[in-house]
Amino acid sequence: MIIACLDLEGVLIPEIWINFAERTGIEELRRTTRDEPDYDVLMKRRLEILAENGLGLSDIESVIGQLSPLPGARECVDWLRERFQVLILSDTFYQFAKPLMAQLGFPTLFCHDLEVAADGRVSDYRIRLADQKRAAVKALHGLNFQVIAAGDSYNDTAMLAEADAGILFRPPDNVIAEFPEFPVTTTYAALQDEFDAAAEKLK
């Protein structure tokens, strides 16, 4: 049995923080795991920026409410679910992802939680498990599953390396340069072809 593990932002949905940066005009919020390998550094700075600008969860939710999955994403998820079990492994937060998961047909999602104060401020974040993407794939191996994984950013590469096959989807040039061992795809059709090819090799 093969499980397909996918990243969420940048693979199936738009980057939430980039869209929020565009709405607020705060350029520094455009930084994502495509730019900063250390997720803790990235999130701590994001929370500082939110506090400095008096922005809370409701401000972010108003942007998320206008987002939709990337064109073709729902169809790709449906295609994968016909052939594999599908698990979304993301470093986003349940508070952010829930509205968009409905539009993807509610695939299973493992991610993190925000701590929100009574006044709506995002006071902290709770990482469910350090290096959770790699750990999830390792645990699936322990349950005798094979795993094909796809992602786009630095924080996906440990997951891709742990999987039986790893695929990059629309990654930035810096990630392509640093991780040449992973095939690169830029369309869902090509991604599906890579899943088919990987599955054939695992038989």
Side-chain angles (χ1 to χ4, degrees), residues 64-158:
I64 295 170
Q66 299 179 35
L67 299 180
S68 298
L70 296 170
R74 171 64 187 266
E75 292 79 7
C76 183
V77 170
D78 289 344
W79 183 92
L80 289 168
R81 292 173 90 169
E82 290 177 4
R83 294 158 176 81
F84 314 103
Q85 299 299 306
V86 175
L87 177 59
I88 309 299
L89 299 176
S90 174
D91 281 329
T92 192
F93 303 93
Y94 285 112
Q95 292 89 339
F96 291 178
K98 187 176 179 180
L100 290 159
M101 297 309 288
Q103 299 181 62
L104 289 169
F106 289 109
T108 301
L109 170 66
F110 291 175
C111 62
H112 309 299
D113 263 312
L114 292 172
E115 292 184 10
V116 183
D119 62 0
R121 288 181 302 104
V122 181
S123 56
D124 206 350
Y125 60 97
R126 292 193 301 271
I127 297 297
R128 186 176 54 79
L129 180 70
D131 197 14
Q132 63 109 2
K133 297 185 181 188
R134 184 196 62 79
V137 173
K138 187 174 182 179
L140 291 170
H141 281 150
L143 294 170
N144 205 29
F145 288 107
Q146 295 173 304
V147 178
I148 303 172
D152 71 322
S153 299
Y154 279 114
N155 67 326
D156 297 314
T157 54

Side-chain angles (χ1 to χ4, degrees), residues 5 30 67 171-172:
C5 291
R30 294 183 64 87
L67 299 180

